[in-house]
Amino acid sequence: MEPILKIRGLFKRFEPGPWVIDDFDLSIAAGSVVYVLGPSGCGKTTLLRLVCGFESPDAGEIVKEGEVISRPGLVLPPEARRIGMVFQDYALFPHLTVAQNVRFGLEGGRGPLGLFGRRRWGSGEPNGYGRSLNELYDLTGLHGLQERYPHELSGGQQQRVALARALARAPDLILLDEPFSNLDTSLRARIREELRTVLRQSGATSLLVTHDQEEAINLGDRIAVMNEGRLEQAGTPEDILHRPANRLVASFVGLSEFIPGRVDGDLVVTELGSHPLPPGLSAPNGTRLDVQLRPSYVQPCENGQGAAAQVVGLEFQGAQTLYKLALPSGTHIRASLPGHLTLSPGDQVQIRFHPPVMVCFPAT
């Protein structure tokens, strides 16, 4: 199937600074939920603005459904792209009700005909281009809130209004900029699932940007890891977690550290035991490697069946406790162990390293 969106060799900078988008390539399949994940300041929001048409590229092109919508000297206006946008601060009009904010999305804020020359329409009447108001309210759970103003809504409700407005014209692609950054931590898990359901039911392809790794891993069909304007790796959450393309991706996505290892035949020998070399990796005996270790890869075991470690710190996380452990060599690692162990700083514990997939990089 032809991707709905292709970004090819995209460059953008704001003079006189460095490249904000640096030779960026990404393809997005129709109907998918794709997250662009990266640290603050890596160019994520600028990428969305380029896709939406608020910025023009210095080089490269953006192709939507086979049509070039952006390249130097040619930028299709945002209103002609059939792309919806949910801004980080939602950008709701404080003097308009929920219903009026949503209607603004349908009419384009230009009176009865709107941007597409469509006539006004009623609450249950399709507008000839997008969705009816009733359909939007059903989809986003806004029934009963139509006459409220933004300041009378919770953060999650405001987000749903912004989403309804973006979905109003039934866009082929919807863009969301840090959709959960304004929500309390206690609300995020519930609102994340609600948003995913709405996006699935809408049928629109979704491109979201975030620095929240958990959000991207839990909700994305695919993840594009971005750093300093460049695409480091694009793949499924499983690919990103278990088959990182480079050390930067391995270090950035999820809690991760590295322990020393060396090649001995077809094994990697570490302080926490020996494991088979990753498929496709061959190296001479004695080659030094850095072996990726995530807290979830560490397991407690019986005395004599693993390596000894000393607890030097801990963080209670409910069913699990994140321990900071010191190995005999002095290397410090983190381990997510069952909360019932009730270890304290200074205690000794026997552990083993049990990775689902071995990930190694040349030693630094």
Side-chain angles (χ1 to χ4, degrees):
M1 180 184 296
E2 183 73 11
I4 191 172
L5 189 77
K6 289 183 178 180
I7 301 171
R8 300 169 174 163
L10 204 63
F11 286 85
K12 178 66 180 179
R13 71 176 170 188
F14 302 99
E15 297 289 355
W19 292 112
V20 179
I21 305 295
D22 186 357
D23 198 15
F24 194 92
D25 292 90
L26 184 65
S27 293
I28 298 175
S32 60
V33 176
V34 178
Y35 268 87
V36 177
L37 175 64
S40 297
C42 73
K44 303 186 299 295
T45 296
T46 299
L47 179 67
L48 284 196
R49 293 178 61 84
L50 285 162
V51 172
C52 203
F54 297 149
E55 302 287 351
S56 58
D58 294 314
E61 63 182 13
I62 301 172
V63 180
K64 180 175 174 284
E65 297 181 297
E67 176 188 3
V68 176
I69 60 173
S70 283
R71 68 180 179 216
L74 170 65
V75 179
L76 193 68
E79 64 269 20
R81 296 188 177 206
R82 293 201 67 173
I83 294 176
M85 177 92 177
V86 177
F87 297 92
Q88 184 173 352
D89 61 359
Y90 309 142
L92 300 180
F93 296 103
H95 63 292
L96 300 183
T97 64
V98 167
Q100 290 168 336
N101 267 284
V102 175
R103 283 197 181 98
F104 185 92
L106 285 154
E107 297 172 354
R110 296 190 181 181
L113 295 181
L115 292 172
F116 292 90
R118 309 297 180 188
R119 60 187 175 85
R120 284 191 181 273
W121 42 280
S123 63
E125 177 187 357
N127 69 341
Y129 182 81
R131 303 172 183 273
S132 73
L133 278 178
N134 280 337
E135 185 182 2
L136 287 167
Y137 296 150
D138 285 340
L139 190 61
T140 55
L142 291 174
H143 278 296
L145 303 176
Q146 294 96 315
E147 299 309 312
R148 293 191 187 182
Y149 289 88
H151 72 273
E152 299 174 314
L153 304 176
S154 68
Q157 290 168 339
Q158 290 179 23
Q159 183 189 70
R160 295 204 298 271
V161 176
L163 188 58
R165 185 175 62 186
L167 290 170
R169 291 199 184 96
D172 306 308
L173 177 66
I174 184 164
L175 312 178
L176 296 97
D177 187 4
E178 298 279 5
F180 306 108
S181 62
N182 293 326
L183 301 181
D184 293 337
T185 302
S186 59
L187 285 177
R188 287 182 185 175
R190 178 172 61 82
I191 300 300
R192 281 173 183 169
E193 191 56 40
E194 288 180 3
L195 177 62
R196 183 183 179 95
T197 299
V198 170
L199 293 177
R200 294 293 189 197
Q201 291 177 350
S202 75
T205 305
S206 307
L207 178 63
L208 306 90
V209 304
T210 186
H211 63 274
D212 187 325
Q213 302 165 19
E214 181 183 354
E215 175 189 332
I217 292 167
N218 290 342
L219 301 185
D221 296 321
R222 291 179 65 80
I223 297 173
V225 180
M226 187 177 187
N227 185 58
E228 296 183 347
R230 298 185 65 87
L231 179 67
E232 297 290 341
Q233 183 179 359
T236 65
E238 184 181 18
D239 289 335
I240 301 299
L241 281 172
H242 298 317
R243 291 174 287 276
N246 54 46
R247 191 184 180 105
L248 186 148
V249 173
S251 300
F252 179 73
V253 182
L255 283 178
S256 183
E257 49 227 335
F258 295 88
I259 59 174
R262 60 177 175 80
V263 176
D264 184 3
D266 58 357
L267 298 176
V268 179
V269 179
T270 75
E271 192 172 0
L272 294 177
S274 300
H275 300 272
L277 278 168
L281 177 63
S282 61
N285 282 348
T287 299
R288 295 190 305 114
L289 299 173
D290 287 339
V291 180
Q292 185 187 32
L293 185 148
R294 297 189 183 277
S296 60
Y297 296 175
V298 180
Q299 299 176 351
C301 59
E302 298 295 331
N303 286 339
Q305 297 181 358
Q310 184 179 48
V311 177
V312 294
L314 60 90
E315 178 183 328
F316 181 66
Q317 298 179 334
Q320 300 287 114
T321 300
L322 184 67
Y323 289 96
K324 185 176 182 180
L325 305 177
L327 301 179
S329 66
T331 299
H332 283 191
I333 65 170
R334 287 168 291 184
S336 184
L337 303 178
H340 66 76
L341 290 179
T342 62
L343 300 170
S344 301
D347 288 349
Q348 295 287 324
V349 61
Q350 294 285 317
I351 58 172
R352 65 174 182 165
F353 172 44
H354 187 65
V357 179
M358 281 288 288
V359 175
C360 304
F361 297 98
T364 56

